[in-house]
Amino acid sequence: MRALILAGGSGSRLSLGEKPLVMVDGVPMIARIIAAFEMAGCEVVVVLSPRTPFTLNWCRAHDILHYAASGTGYVEDIIETVEALGETAPVFTSVSDIPCIVPGIITDIWEQYIASGRDACSVWVPLSFFDRNGCRASYVRKVDGIDACPAGINILNGSRITVPQDEIQVLVKDRRLAFNINTQEELTRVRQFLEG
């Protein structure tokens, strides 16, 4: 199964250069995410944009499979990449700023997706986890009766990439997925979490 790691954002709020290359525990953030998906058995493709030329060079230097999308938008870049790769199977999609993700979380999501028999899967984290560690939540929805926020991980059916897909909503009660790095304050919290 392929995993598309979306790494086309400029990281302007973080103000530390291209966000995928920001160091977390001595490793570029994107390298941590690539390693987690590869250890979970995925073939990783990093999806870039014109805003991330240094990340493109990093991928080339480390022989990381990548695709340079047009950068018109998150969803648009996913569709463009899936179509360019000719992918018709299910694909993981993931943001590139959740550096605490681990292989076990990925395989658990995959197993729940397969068991559901649905086209797509969205992954959610309890809102209370965001409140506790200070990371921002973009929006909130009830999942399994719990207020939850999107984790930035999805599974989509490549053969239906341009149409709405029936999805299972998976609630992951693991605070590691609540660390989404957009500001220096959030980066500091992640570093403290990993050290502690």
Side-chain angles (χ1 to χ4, degrees), residues 14-192:
L14 193 55
S15 300
L16 290 172
E18 292 179 19
K19 186 162 58 169
L21 300 181
V22 170
M23 301 298 279
V24 175
D25 202 23
V27 178
M29 188 157 37
I30 193 167
R32 296 176 63 91
I33 297 160
I34 290 170
F37 275 94
E38 287 181 340
M39 290 172 65
C42 296
E43 177 191 18
V44 169
V45 179
V46 175
V47 182
L48 304 157
S49 82
R51 293 182 297 277
T52 51
F54 292 106
T55 307
L56 169 61
N57 290 338
W58 181 88
C59 287
R60 287 175 173 161
H62 292 86
D63 200 25
I64 304 293
L65 189 61
H66 59 277
Y67 176 78
S70 59
T72 54
Y74 188 85
V75 173
E76 292 83 359
D77 284 358
I78 290 172
I79 293 171
E80 178 185 339
T81 304
V82 167
E83 290 181 338
L85 296 175
E87 186 60 76
T88 58
V91 293
F92 266 105
T93 66
S94 175
V95 293
S96 60
D97 54 5
I98 48 173
C100 297
I101 191 169
V102 294
I105 293 174
I106 297 165
T107 55
D108 182 59
I109 292 166
W110 174 250
E111 288 168 2
Q112 291 188 60
Y113 165 73
I114 290 298
S116 76
R118 298 189 182 180
D119 277 333
C121 171
S122 60
V123 180
W124 301 78
V125 182
L127 174 63
S128 60
F129 290 5
F130 287 83
D131 293 342
R132 189 173 343 168
N133 67 34
C135 291
R136 275 194 299 251
S138 53
Y139 59 94
V140 178
R141 175 181 291 178
K142 289 278 188 189
V143 179
D144 296 340
I146 296 174
D147 287 337
C149 306
I153 304 168
N154 297 281
I155 300 174
L156 299 169
N157 184 329
S159 67
R160 296 175 50 79
I161 198 64
T162 59
V163 299
Q165 299 185 24
D166 180 38
E167 71 174 29
I168 178 177
Q169 296 175 335
V170 172
L171 184 67
V172 177
K173 296 179 181 178
D174 190 321
R175 67 179 303 214
R176 288 174 291 190
L177 277 192
F179 289 106
N180 179 265
I181 311 307
N182 290 303
T183 67
Q184 292 194 28
E185 178 186 12
E186 291 167 352
L187 178 59
T188 297
R189 290 179 185 275
V190 166
R191 288 172 171 163
Q192 291 170 342

